Amino acid sequence: MKAGIHPEYRDVVFHDVTSDFRILTRSTLSSKESVKWEDGNEYPLIKVEISSATHPFYTGKNKIVDTSGRVDKFRKRYGAAK
């Protein structure tokens, strides 16, 4: 690798703010905030809105957001079971 052109790859903590789930991993992202982890060290803190702890695909809690009855229209038209 060419020296001086790559971002620093370091340990960071990702915090899912909707479920209070935290994970320590490595990333090139930086942050002005930091948090003390279970091992006693401080790491940069990256806040995210959604993670594997809250994503419908990973949790199995899929929700259909239907604002104008589109799902019911589809089911009526094509005979899809509920």
Side-chain angles (χ1 to χ4, degrees):
M1 290 192 308
K2 193 172 184 179
I5 64 168
H6 299 285
E8 181 185 351
Y9 191 63
R10 61 186 166 280
D11 292 332
V12 297
V13 174
F14 283 93
H15 177 210
D16 184 344
V17 294
T18 57
S19 69
D20 204 33
F21 173 73
R22 295 175 189 221
I23 186 167
L24 177 65
T25 187
R26 296 182 54 87
S27 177
T28 59
L29 293 175
S30 61
S31 174
K32 294 179 182 179
E33 296 181 72
S34 64
V35 66
K36 195 169 196 170
W37 190 247
E38 300 162 356
D39 62 3
N41 295 328
E42 284 207 18
Y43 298 102
L45 177 66
I46 308 294
K47 293 182 179 178
V48 294
E49 297 289 324
I50 195 161
S51 69
S52 62
T54 56
H55 193 282
F57 180 79
Y58 295 110
T59 60
K61 297 178 182 176
N62 289 336
K63 291 184 180 178
I64 298 174
V65 179
D66 185 21
T67 58
S68 62
R70 287 185 234 155
V71 173
D72 289 331
K73 287 179 192 176
F74 177 85
R75 287 181 177 154
K76 187 186 296 183
R77 184 179 297 163
Y78 297 106
K82 289 185 179 183

